[in-house]
Amino acid sequence: MAVTAKVLEQAILALGRDTALLARFRADPAGVGAGLGLDAEWAGVIADGRRDRLRSAGVVDGITILVSRWFADDLGDSTSASRFHVEHAAPPPDPDVPANLVFAGGCSHVPDLLARPEIDPADGVARLTGAYRRLGERIAAADPDVLLVTADCHFQSFRTGAFVVGTAASHTGSMEFFKRPDLDLALTGAPAFARAIVDAVRAEGMEVEEADRVDLDHGLIVPLRQVLPRPGLPVVPIITQPARTFSPFGARAFGEVLRTVLETRGERVAMLATGGLSHWLDPGKFGGVDVEFDTYILEMLQAGRGNDLGNLEPYPLLDHGQYEFLNWLIMLGLVGPGVPAEVLAYEPMEASGGGWTVVDLPLPERPARAGREEHAHA
């Protein structure tokens, strides 16, 4: 049996509940660990208190700290580091993608890319723009009936700190705040689908705000002006962080609820996440790019481990300028673990203020729609 994050968590909790078992484990990690489903390598990781390995395997930090501060009596957690690396020894589960999810991916929504691209290096802008074009071609080839798209709140005022679902029949807006009112967008909504999302989230006991008005800003205009496959494609906007609330775990859980919605509907669904990677709006910090942590995020996605990022304590993501990654975790929760990503572009651009990326998650091949020509004119 593969040593998964769940196996690791259960083994650590079992040791924490039984001091006699823990004493035997510390004397013979491999032998006692075998009875807990651990191989010799992972038994040694736990015995040595190597929290960075456990975290990279998807174990939450509230559990990893047991192996150092309690199991090894390291009261100050002094032997641990905050290193991040991609764990390959604990394989992700096999993919289990909803049958009618036909596309999933993510891209940044940097306003300067459309409003004033000349401020960034021309070659980087060209690579990024080309990646958007390729992503748009893949969405078009997937032939969806509806597009779900996430973006964080920028200028609007909503009533709560919950995730927001736009339920209107249409959505409009422009980039007037960036001196470009000519960069506008009008979208067709999907009220019935949006209502199904709201109902499903509430049925799970989770908070969600429904909004009959979502004013489009650069968070949706920048990506959708480049990748929307056809003007009338119905779109459900999902807005995160209206009060700068931040829960990676909650974002992933929201995405997992979307799976239940797809199971009850017949539409071919595409899901697009927008935002970052590293990106700071703090006074005095704008323009910083954390290439090292961005690379870690992208490597986790490429390894099919993006969902594990929802197990991080909020601080690491916030500290590395990754607050927009909530938008991606909703998409990853919908897709489920085990789907390796293809990074189409990554460009660290200080002038426009972040590490910008375009990513596709190639899904299992779906059957082509019958009667596509009739659908196009329906």
Side-chain angles (χ1 to χ4, degrees), residues 186-272:
L187 298 175
T188 300
F193 203 112
R195 164 53 59 187
I197 292 174
V198 169
D199 291 345
V201 172
R202 288 177 177 163
E204 289 292 324
M206 299 166 61
E207 186 180 10
V208 62
E209 179 175 345
E210 54 189 301
D212 58 10
R213 178 173 177 175
V214 173
D215 296 326
L216 306 182
D217 58 35
H218 64 284
L220 294 171
I221 293 173
V222 169
L224 294 185
R225 278 181 66 105
Q226 299 178 90
V227 307
L228 193 67
R230 56 184 189 274
L233 176 65
V235 175
V236 177
I238 300 171
I239 308 300
T240 70
Q241 305 177 79
R244 284 296 178 256
T245 48
F246 191 81
S247 171
F249 188 90
R252 184 180 62 191
F254 186 97
E256 290 168 350
V257 174
L258 295 180
R259 295 173 63 91
T260 69
V261 178
L262 266 64
E263 290 171 358
T264 64
R265 303 187 65 88
E267 293 98 333
R268 296 166 63 91
V269 178
M271 175 88 213
L272 179 70

Side-chain angles (χ1 to χ4, degrees), residues 60-61 163 206 240-241 244-256 293 297 306-319 322-334:
V60 299
D61 282 340
F163 296 131
M206 299 166 61
T240 70
Q241 305 177 79
R244 284 296 178 256
T245 48
F246 191 81
S247 171
F249 188 90
R252 184 180 62 191
F254 186 97
E256 290 168 350
F293 197 76
I297 294 288
N307 276 264
D308 288 348
L309 296 167
N311 294 337
L312 288 177
E313 294 289 319
Y315 176 76
L317 285 168
L318 290 171
D319 184 50
Q322 297 274 350
Y323 69 92
E324 292 181 341
F325 199 68
L326 290 192
N327 306 334
W328 292 65
L329 282 166
I330 291 175
M331 178 269 292
L332 292 165
L334 171 59

Side-chain angles (χ1 to χ4, degrees), residues 119-133:
I119 70 171
D120 283 317
D123 56 344
V125 170
R127 287 190 293 268
L128 198 58
T129 301
Y132 277 99
R133 182 178 62 254

Side-chain angles (χ1 to χ4, degrees), residues 150-173:
T150 56
D152 49 297
C153 183
H154 293 113
F155 307 119
Q156 296 196 94
S157 296
F158 296 103
R159 297 178 59 194
T160 72
F163 296 131
V164 179
V165 176
T167 58
S170 62
H171 311 282
T172 61

